[in-house]
Amino acid sequence: MNKIIGILAGSLRKESFSKKIGNTLIAMAPQGFEFKIISLDDLPIYNQDFDDDNQVPVTYTTFRKEVQAVDGVIFITPEYNRSVPAVLKNALDVGSRPYGHNVWDSKPGAVISNSPGNLSGFGANHHLRQSLVFLNVPVMQQPEIYIAKSNELFDENGELKSEGTKEFLHKAVDAYIAWFNKNVS
Ligand SMILES: Cc1cc2nc3c(=O)[nH]c(=O)nc-3n(C[C@H](O)[C@H](O)[C@H](O)COP(=O)(O)O)c2cc1C
């Protein structure tokens, strides 16, 4: 049976470069793996009352089940004010509760950060890693995956036109799969 890797992009924007990177990865899944987008588009901001009062939005339940069903997770984060965009942090929070039911627990992960700027979302990349430590997501250390100039990489159909970036992403995916296979018995 195929291993399934969830891909989560930290942006709600229609033309999001993070979403485009995620869509590009789908075709890079090697034999024995399937890459699946897990959308964050409909997740309300986490409110603990929902769990405490047993009034959990359907979107939370669907999202938690989707994450539970995957074998690993690849996060693609833009950077907002040198940190993780609220939409992605919110997704981590929703999946981490109710207490004792953290759906991220032990899912081997990878972090890809990106930005139109040269710093490539470095701040977001490492803030995200901080939360993932607490959520018990082992994250691939190397290669670190930073994508700069995200606004120059795609054509008008949203296809990755930069061959260099395609090759880099392929190598990163190959490294993640090798690392995943080592970490999952
Ligand atoms: C509120 C806000 C804060 C931002 N802060 C940063 C930042 O700290 N560093 C950076 O490189 N880009 C920053 N940007 C620019 C984003 O990198 C850019 O909008 C990017 O395209 C967002 O990712 P997306 O294309 O996946 O939606 C910011 C954008 C917004 C809207």
Side-chain angles (χ1 to χ4, degrees):
M1 216 164 71
N2 278 352
K3 294 282 183 197
I4 303 182
I5 307 299
I7 296 181
L8 298 99
S11 174
L12 302 180
R13 210 164 67 84
K14 287 192 299 293
E15 293 298 324
S16 159
F17 302 122
S18 308
K19 286 181 175 175
K20 287 175 184 172
I21 292 170
N23 291 333
T24 303
L25 293 186
I26 301 282
M28 295 184 182
Q31 206 176 8
F33 284 80
E34 183 192 331
F35 288 177
K36 175 182 181 276
I37 304 284
I38 298 181
S39 171
L40 312 185
D41 284 355
D42 298 318
L43 277 186
I45 289 286
Y46 185 70
N47 178 342
Q48 193 182 331
D49 288 343
F50 295 152
D51 282 317
D52 290 351
D53 301 343
N54 223 2
Q55 292 183 340
V56 177
V58 176
T59 45
Y60 279 18
T61 308
T62 304
F63 177 74
R64 287 167 175 165
K65 282 187 182 156
E66 272 186 293
V67 175
Q68 234 152 8
V70 298
D71 299 289
V73 277
I74 298 178
F75 296 96
I76 304 161
T77 187
E79 181 172 84
Y80 275 14
N81 300 311
R82 294 284 179 262
S83 189
V84 181
V87 64
L88 183 51
K89 179 58 166 57
N90 184 52
L92 294 181
D93 296 340
V94 170
S96 71
R97 296 283 150 153
Y99 186 76
H101 297 270
N102 167 23
V103 296
W104 307 106
D105 188 23
S106 304
K107 310 265 182 205
V111 172
I112 300 173
S113 61
N114 72 101
S115 167
N118 283 327
L119 296 183
S120 315
F122 177 89
N125 190 310
H126 287 265
H127 279 186
L128 179 55
R129 286 170 184 268
Q130 179 173 325
S131 294
L132 295 177
V133 169
F134 186 61
L135 295 171
N136 201 31
V137 174
V139 179
M140 180 174 73
Q141 304 297 313
Q142 293 291 337
E144 295 166 88
I145 314 166
Y146 304 107
I147 311 277
K149 305 213 180 300
S150 55
N151 57 329
E152 296 176 13
L153 303 177
F154 296 91
D155 68 18
E156 60 282 2
N157 300 316
E159 302 288 331
L160 184 60
K161 61 183 183 189
S162 160
E163 285 305 319
T165 304
K166 209 176 285 177
E167 201 177 310
F168 176 64
L169 284 174
H170 253 301
K171 280 190 183 153
V173 165
D174 289 350
Y176 172 69
I177 296 298
W179 176 83
F180 177 97
N181 284 332
K182 245 198 271 176
N183 282 275
V184 177
S185 50

